[in-house]
Amino acid sequence: MEMKHEDGRFYFEDNDKMIGEITYSTVKDGVVSIDHTYVDDDYRGQGLAGKLLNAMLDFSDLKGLKVVPVCEYAKAAFEKKPEIRFLLADNYQELLKGEN
């Protein structure tokens, strides 16, 4: 099982089958939204969603990007983990309202 990255997503494949992914998109210069997190039912409980999120957060930090958590998994992670909140876009709540 290998994590891969392409523009707009990080994902895991197992024997050429996509088994989990986290997708992101550009909101504006320097800001990305975490749009969706998915793990195949057969692979849940193995921490894959957390690994995908960590890869996304590391990528954002490395690239100097701020984050707007759109998907429920990302929102919950930012609520539970104050140590990652430095990556939140300054006005992320207003940006969220604009997407609805």
Side-chain angles (χ1 to χ4, degrees):
M1 185 173 3
E2 176 185 356
M3 186 184 304
K4 297 182 178 183
H5 178 239
E6 61 186 32
D7 192 35
R9 73 181 186 143
F10 287 88
Y11 61 103
F12 277 110
E13 283 186 345
D14 191 14
N15 295 322
D16 294 326
K17 176 185 175 187
M18 197 277 294
I19 60 167
E21 74 175 343
I22 192 165
T23 62
Y24 64 94
S25 57
T26 300
V27 175
K28 61 181 187 175
D29 275 352
V31 180
V32 293
S33 62
I34 300 175
D35 302 318
H36 180 68
T37 305
Y38 163 80
V39 174
D40 184 282
D41 289 341
D42 293 337
Y43 292 84
R44 292 195 176 172
Q46 299 178 29
L48 297 183
K51 290 177 183 176
L52 290 164
L53 180 64
N54 287 340
M56 179 67 217
L57 297 176
D58 288 347
F59 171 80
S60 298
D61 192 24
L62 182 68
K63 298 287 186 181
L65 301 171
K66 294 296 183 178
V67 173
V68 177
V70 175
C71 80
E72 293 304 317
Y73 184 80
K75 286 180 188 177
F78 276 96
E79 285 181 23
K80 291 177 188 171
K81 299 179 180 184
E83 66 272 17
I84 65 173
R85 291 184 194 151
F86 73 97
L87 287 169
L88 284 172
D90 291 337
N91 56 344
Y92 78 95
Q93 291 173 325
E94 287 78 32
L95 292 169
L96 279 174
K97 290 176 189 171
E99 292 194 359
N100 293 332

